[in-house]
Amino acid sequence: MKRIISLKELAERTAGLASGHRACAGCSFPSIIRMVLGSSDYPVVVSNATGCLEVVSTIYPYSSWPCSWIHVAFENAAAVISGVESAYKALKRRGEIPQDKKIVFIAIGGDGGTYDIGLQALSGALERGHDFLYLLYDNQAYMNTGIQRSSATPFGASTTTSPAGKYLFGKVQDRKEIIEIVAAHRIPYVAQASISHWGDLIKKLRKAYEIEGPKFLSVIAPCVIGWGYKESETVEIARLAVETCFWPLYEIEKGVYRVNYKPKEKLPVKAWLLKQERFSHLNGREDLIEEIQKRVDEKWEKLLRLDGLKVF
Amino acid sequence: MKRIISLKELAERTAGLASGHRACAGCSFPSIIRMVLGSSDYPVVVSNATGCLEVVSTIYPYSSWPCSWIHVAFENAAAVISGVESAYKALKRRGEIPQDKKIVFIAIGGDGGTYDIGLQALSGALERGHDFLYLLYDNQAYMNTGIQRSSATPFGASTTTSPAGKYLFGKVQDRKEIIEIVAAHRIPYVAQASISHWGDLIKKLRKAYEIEGPKFLSVIAPCVIGWGYKESETVEIARLAVETCFWPLYEIEKGVYRVNYKPKEKLPVKAWLLKQERFSHLNGREDLIEEIQKRVDEKWEKLLRLDGLKVF
Amino acid sequence: MKIKDVSVRIAGLAGDGSLLAGEILAFTLKRRGFYVVSVKDFPSNIRGLPTNLTIRANLERIYSWGDHIDSLIAFEPSALKNHAGDVRNGGLIVVDEEFDLKNFQPNDVYFYSVPLRKIARDLFRREIFKNVIALGFLGHAFNIGHDELRNTLIFYLKGKDEKIIEANIKALDEGYKLAEKFVKERYEIERGSDSNRYYLSGNEAVALGAIASGCRFFSAYPITPSTEVLEFLAKYLPKYGGVTIQCEDEISSINMAIGASFAGLRAMTATSGPGMDLKTEALSLASMAEIPLVIYHAQRAGPSTGIPTKTSQEDINHILFAGHGDVSRVVLVPSTPEESFEFTFKAFNIAEKYQLPVIILSEQAISQNQQTIDNIPYNENLDWERGKILTDEMALQYLTNGKSYQRYEIKDDGISFRGFPGQRGVIVRYNSNEKTPDGFIDEECEYRDEMVKKRIRKLENIINDIPVPEFYGKESAKNILIGIGSSLGAMKEAVDRLNEENYGFSYLRIRSLLPLHEDHIYSLTKDKNVFICELNSFSQLRSYLSRIWGRKKNVFSIRKYIGLPFKPLELVKEIKRIIKKEI
Amino acid sequence: MKIKDVSVRIAGLAGDGSLLAGEILAFTLKRRGFYVVSVKDFPSNIRGLPTNLTIRANLERIYSWGDHIDSLIAFEPSALKNHAGDVRNGGLIVVDEEFDLKNFQPNDVYFYSVPLRKIARDLFRREIFKNVIALGFLGHAFNIGHDELRNTLIFYLKGKDEKIIEANIKALDEGYKLAEKFVKERYEIERGSDSNRYYLSGNEAVALGAIASGCRFFSAYPITPSTEVLEFLAKYLPKYGGVTIQCEDEISSINMAIGASFAGLRAMTATSGPGMDLKTEALSLASMAEIPLVIYHAQRAGPSTGIPTKTSQEDINHILFAGHGDVSRVVLVPSTPEESFEFTFKAFNIAEKYQLPVIILSEQAISQNQQTIDNIPYNENLDWERGKILTDEMALQYLTNGKSYQRYEIKDDGISFRGFPGQRGVIVRYNSNEKTPDGFIDEECEYRDEMVKKRIRKLENIINDIPVPEFYGKESAKNILIGIGSSLGAMKEAVDRLNEENYGFSYLRIRSLLPLHEDHIYSLTKDKNVFICELNSFSQLRSYLSRIWGRKKNVFSIRKYIGLPFKPLELVKEIKRIIKKEI
Ligand SMILES: Cc1ncc(C[n+]2csc(CCOP(=O)(O)OP(=O)(O)O)c2C)c(N)n1
Ligand SMILES: Cc1ncc(C[n+]2csc(CCOP(=O)(O)OP(=O)(O)O)c2C)c(N)n1
Ligand code: SF4
Ligand code: SF4
Ligand SMILES: [Mg+2]
Ligand SMILES: [Mg+2]
């Protein structure tokens, strides 16, 4: 295991990184990008799906990417990176690139580009077994087009297409369990992380960069606009998602589950929900809050049961 | 629980069914279609993805479908049935169809149309929670276009695009675990069946027809041409897949695993493999056969561990 | 003299309230009896990127945003830099006094550098209030009654926190006060007669049109600039017993609509740019399987992701020709909110009458911009023409006479009766393969020839059901300008101005691209100089129309492709240049 | 007189060996020095559906399957019923004596009803051997040396079980013996000079062309009638250090190729019908992001699933115009295996030189049917022209001079240098949005105008690099026939025959649809009667070409859309009819 890189070290490493971006004040992307790139000891090639992160990170003259990248269409990040990776393998076989030159291939997609329109491309790339990291930044809705529901949007959240009101209490369906769906592909490494727990996130990134084959990392990425909270609270919102066990930090490495963080005191999910405008209509709807709490509890307990077990 | 319908009863029920079809002699489709339709007490509407089954069952004048259907494109069976089902819900709400009129909606796809090009549509329909049965007939390759690999094709099988020869020993990747991927969507009913065990298959169909919400049933469908065996051996080949535990009969109902059949004597997978032309190049490659056996064993053991457990 | 035509641009950054201020002003002018046209120019949902809203108001019905603006409020230095040049002489510019204006040379305009942010900070501790302060400033300068603006402000803030509303009202007051101190010359803005007109965007009009047409199934996937239809119908369709579903992608969203249409509901999907690429396969299927379907497509600047929030007429080729095989379709092209509504209504009737997909081809400039219109062109006499539908009685006859129902029965007019799954007496079979009349696969090509001819026969009469081109001007004019969609306003004003200078112009606005009124266009353009204006670089419209006149020499292209609609003066200038140089 | 042109059809059911028997005969005739053209007519992979193979052999190079057949072997009553009418007077029909022929009236032909199945059952216990018995029968009737057929048979069965080979040889013998008993009159078939020619399908030629062009990345999804390219390259590309990947769908297969091209490999994808619909979004992307890419598209009969195993020219519209926005592309249209190879080679050079997608538009009749050709048009002088590629030295200069590499640098010819990710000194940024020269999103449209113009400038010179139309006949002829693809053979023979009757005909075969040689076509068709033949019902080719001549009166359509290519006589008859009626 590689040592965990310290925040100071990371700051130094990323000193060279262009710091420009045009995200909304308080957006969680800048730190995500910084950690993704800063944690790699190897050159990185990125394929980026359409979405907020791609837009805000590649606008002239504010680009955050000091590496080669291709900005693809919405559903194709995994397919394009598969092509790039296979091409490099061929170039190595043909001796046009040295055999020992390691490059890290990363496909980046939002929740819409991953859970929904990009799911098939992701599944295909996992099945073929390419050597790449799929990085999902999960802001739980289609933010770039103005906050529509995705299948990552939590039960009860209000979006413009699951509007809380007379007919609905927000989204009716539960979120897809993307980690479980990906894990069912039995790839070497699947993990869930949060920007609030950067040490854990960097550790996971660095682990992923060393493993051969497909890797999948899902990072919660709170969105000021879409979730509705104060600009300064981004990290706190992410932290609460973890502390309430709505967003457990865990990983499945070669089939073995490991819960990476167990809150000393598991906070009620309400503490997270009611800090966000998108759940504000739940205020007073104790029935729904209870339902949400129940679902969180069930999943958390299931996770604790699996902790340490090898499932494939 | 509904009683199991007897073969005789089924024969009577299906007496009305047009028996025509134009499948290759020995193909497993006719019996599948017969059971699917015969097991339903309700009117059925089918959306059928492009593939062998759709072609052979809807050729003039040999159609096997005495129900309304729509033959859609290759990747859309789940999406189209979602539309049909939602439209019926709306029609009921509007009083244009009686509230108590129950219709069974079935989407049918081959492995290519399900594991590969139709996966996203399937996943979306499961997430939205439509009331339908997705029936996967799994012949483990793209048969209608001449036997290309799919992500359902087993490790080691030779197809025209994973040809056994100088460079390859057949397909390099393992099959996608479609049952696990679907189960990760936490739908009310997921099951795997075989035409060799018709009692079990009918029981599963009838159970599925009674459950509200998305259901998924995967049936192994041996293919004379693509697998390479004698016309008369179809059922035997399917039976061996079950008896070797390559194709366990099991179900996940409301999150609870249940293994429906445990062979008295688990046969070595070789007994199944070497009956098929597509694996004939493995003859003598004990290393590969051992590898396949190992994978079968692991999955079977995992399944036995899960038997009776509630996983979501 | 009181002013009868006024235009204002409010420019700032996304999320800083410029758009809201603009909308309140627009709505106030509408209530004052003006016809308002607005043009939104925004980059994406993300906060902090440059954005602006231009509104033009006139006592007569207008369709164009004009050439220049009378007034500019610039909340950012960059906004001032980019837009000051558009302000006409004698116009008005308002900026924040905190700007560093060393390098800025104002034109011959009234230039007010005022403490917008400072007041906002001092009084409300949040700079965002600068927008309403600026609005008040403008209200005074335009001599708009304080109460008029206040009422609209309150209307727009309905449902918000009391405190916020109060603060905003106070900010408005402050704006008026501020203006009293600064403004040297006030405008006098007219008042019109009717204050109850509608103020609608194309997207809203389409959504309303769908509801009015009896559309009860809508499935789509979010994509700028058509998403508002999805958002609108997600909210309101359930009220009418309908279903709105957001799918996992565009492929499924069109296929779900196909499923719903098969089941018997009027169904629609909506998209734009890349979304339509993904729908082409199902478009081909709908044509082959003869499924009525309405597709709303709002163009944006491409290719690929392109400039996703800006307008274009770049998808003409794609909409007319995409989809493998001989794909029948109808393509209607609205220019206004009224037409967006009306063509949606027509689209459903045509789709069901001829059992094929109908595409409404709009564009960002129409779909997302609001306009004042007199009326929604709806009345009780408008019929839902559902075409040849198998009644339950007809279906039951099959049961009695023992015949089997033929979904694709060969008929003289090419149109067969549509039955629905579940109807007693019939089994309904739809097929994407070439098929027999009963809907089975016609593997031996026994029916291929007849089926192809049947599908072609269906197309023969559609021309009678679609909107004819709008002709404006004298037939004797020796020059004719041709365009579609958002070009309407600029074409009209350009033709008027050119005729004032005796250039001899008319215009032809095509409102249905498929089928195309070829004979009509041919006879109107014969022996004339033809100018075709379009918002793309490939001259897609011109190439398409050239089937009418071939390599006719005096056909000229006017193209623009920077994401904005034409302005009248652009057309006038370019036409004069061409006439001088080439004719 | 010895026969120099012979045609045979073998008709039965899929899986019953008819195709194999036909192929062996074809190959034998090729070895005998004939040029062979074959047309496969099959329904799908499923056994038991009607299928047949027609082969025509001639000592001169031919391209068409002719009008009639000389001989028919019918293994099924339905086959006899469907095909007997095509046998010319004096021809030969072989059927199984077990047929019930009560209702069959043979023409004026040699009709042999013989115990094919019976012998197969008696000697081999499997009816399948009837095919080789029939082959022997034909061998005798045609006076083809026993050994000739036997050698090909053995060649085709290479690798099979010894016993099976022996049985087949015996079956062949039996066929010869049987014929001796029955055949009344034997044909004498000529022998040609060169027995070493190639016998290739279009799909094989494209796959070989790709390998020869240095294509080292191929990703595709199976779809009739292009799947053989995937199968071929899956087998052989690894040998050349390349990669072939079958993806989960067509969207990914084109996007993987885009990824590989971005990484620096020559990359291709292949598809047909609905598959291409799914690729249009990425086509638009490749054009916008300026990614060299070759797309092979083999047409089949549509729309939608249509008749997936039969030929058409129905995707002309789609291939020329699909993809939202102003999508640049090049479209080449081969007719023969040679051109399939040659145009593939060209396609890669054009794609890299102009950094855009190039489509090879073929069709089932070419892609899956084999033809004898003299040579594969490959020689060592053919260059891989990779266009403007950033060398490692150039890349390093960026490091030294501190400038940043501009993937989309604005150049006079519109073409920028292509660097590759991983090259030292440069960061390579590709973008699907409108972009700055460095590849960043140009959110404020600063570069939009320039970038659009750059992409248009690229297109200006392509016309010099693409195949010109083939003109055949005298320029003075007053009638001209125009067509593409599989129509070549029928056009050639039709023109010859019409000229024999002094109709005054030439033909023009278009080999590149985009760019189109408009001036050339215009000057060749001026003042002439124009006949356009095409395999679709929408007159797609004619509509497209009408931009050249508008509503010119004397342009006539000849259309066919039942899944088979034209026959010479069909063209001759239809042309005569039109001339009589309309000119
Ligand atoms: C094929 C296609 N459909 C729709 C869009 C419009 N679109 C662009 S970004 C986006 C939402 C992205 O959502 P997500 O992946 O969650 O990223 P986020 O914006 O939330 O960061 C959508 C719907 C598109 N560009 N292409
Ligand atoms: C978009 C699209 N791609 C490819 C095809 C070609 N195609 C038709 S059926 C088929 C294979 C079907 O495989 P599977 O789903 O496993 O069904 P099977 O034929 O094996 O029964 C393919 C590739 C198509 N019709 N549409
Ligand atoms: S909308 Fe949300 S996700 Fe997008 S840039 Fe703004 S804060 Fe970040
Ligand atoms: S190819 Fe296989 S799956 Fe298809 S009809 Fe024949 S036996 Fe059945
Ligand atoms: Mg998101
Ligand atoms: Mg299959």
Side-chain angles (χ1 to χ4, degrees), chain A residues 110-112 137-143 150:
Chain A
D111 47 300
Y137 68 92
D138 192 345
N139 56 17
Q140 309 192 338
Y142 294 4
M143 296 310 174
S150 76

Side-chain angles (χ1 to χ4, degrees), chain D residues 169-400:
Chain D
I169 293 176
K170 183 151 169 41
L172 191 70
D173 293 347
E174 290 298 324
Y176 270 92
K177 278 195 229 152
L178 188 67
E180 274 169 34
K181 270 195 275 175
F182 277 84
V183 170
K184 291 164 205 139
E185 179 150 342
R186 292 172 77 185
Y187 298 79
E188 281 285 338
I189 298 238
E190 237 333 344
R191 189 177 290 279
S193 49
D194 186 353
S195 61
N196 271 324
R197 301 195 184 96
Y198 293 84
Y199 184 56
L200 275 188
S201 71
N203 280 340
E204 289 162 332
V206 166
L208 288 170
I211 293 174
S213 314
C215 168
R216 291 299 172 263
F217 191 93
F218 181 75
S219 46
Y221 192 70
I223 187 160
T224 309
S226 76
T227 311
E228 292 79 7
V229 177
L230 172 61
E231 295 176 337
F232 192 104
L233 291 175
K235 210 157 168 183
Y236 297 110
L237 201 50
K239 218 181 186 153
Y240 297 87
V243 190
T244 295
I245 296 185
Q246 182 187 321
C247 304
E248 73 280 5
D249 61 23
E250 283 89 353
I251 299 178
S252 284
S253 64
I254 186 168
N255 277 290
M256 281 190 74
I258 283 173
S261 180
F262 163 73
L265 287 186
R266 283 192 153 191
M268 176 163 105
T269 185
T271 192
S272 175
M276 191 62 207
D277 295 357
L278 294 176
K279 289 186 200 280
T280 48
E281 187 193 9
L283 179 74
S284 181
L285 185 139
S287 163
M288 181 58 150
E290 304 200 29
I291 290 167
L293 187 67
V294 175
I295 302 168
Y296 171 62
H297 179 86
Q299 293 166 101
R300 59 193 224 182
S304 200
T305 314
I307 326 176
T309 57
K310 304 220 171 181
T311 205
S312 90
Q313 296 166 347
E314 260 188 81
D315 302 346
I316 299 173
N317 278 342
H318 185 71
I319 292 297
L320 289 173
F321 296 118
H324 72 286
D326 286 329
V327 177
S328 7
R329 78 196 83 190
V330 171
V331 180
L332 310 178
V333 194
S335 284
T336 61
E338 291 100 320
E339 286 182 348
S340 298
F341 181 95
E342 187 190 330
F343 291 5
T344 304
F345 202 96
K346 265 197 211 309
F348 281 98
N349 283 352
I350 296 172
E352 288 209 314
K353 185 161 169 193
Y354 298 99
Q355 303 179 6
L356 43 61
V358 179
I359 303 169
I360 303 159
L361 178 62
S362 187
E363 59 182 281
Q364 187 274 335
I366 302 166
S367 74
Q368 294 194 308
N369 289 331
Q370 287 161 304
Q371 274 189 25
T372 311
I373 64 173
D374 284 308
N375 246 314
I376 291 176
Y378 180 71
N379 67 62
E380 298 292 312
N381 298 330
L382 285 174
D383 251 3
W384 299 350
E385 296 164 25
R386 302 212 53 187
K388 289 197 194 167
I389 282 202
L390 198 75
T391 60
D392 288 345
E393 295 74 54
M394 289 163 78
L396 277 176
Q397 278 183 14
Y398 283 97
L399 209 59
T400 31

Side-chain angles (χ1 to χ4, degrees), chain A residues 31 194-197 222 229 232-240:
Chain A
S31 38
S194 164
I195 49 152
S196 53
H197 294 66
Y229 57 79
S232 55
E233 292 177 335
T234 301
V235 176
E236 174 63 8
I237 293 283
R239 200 186 60 76
L240 279 173

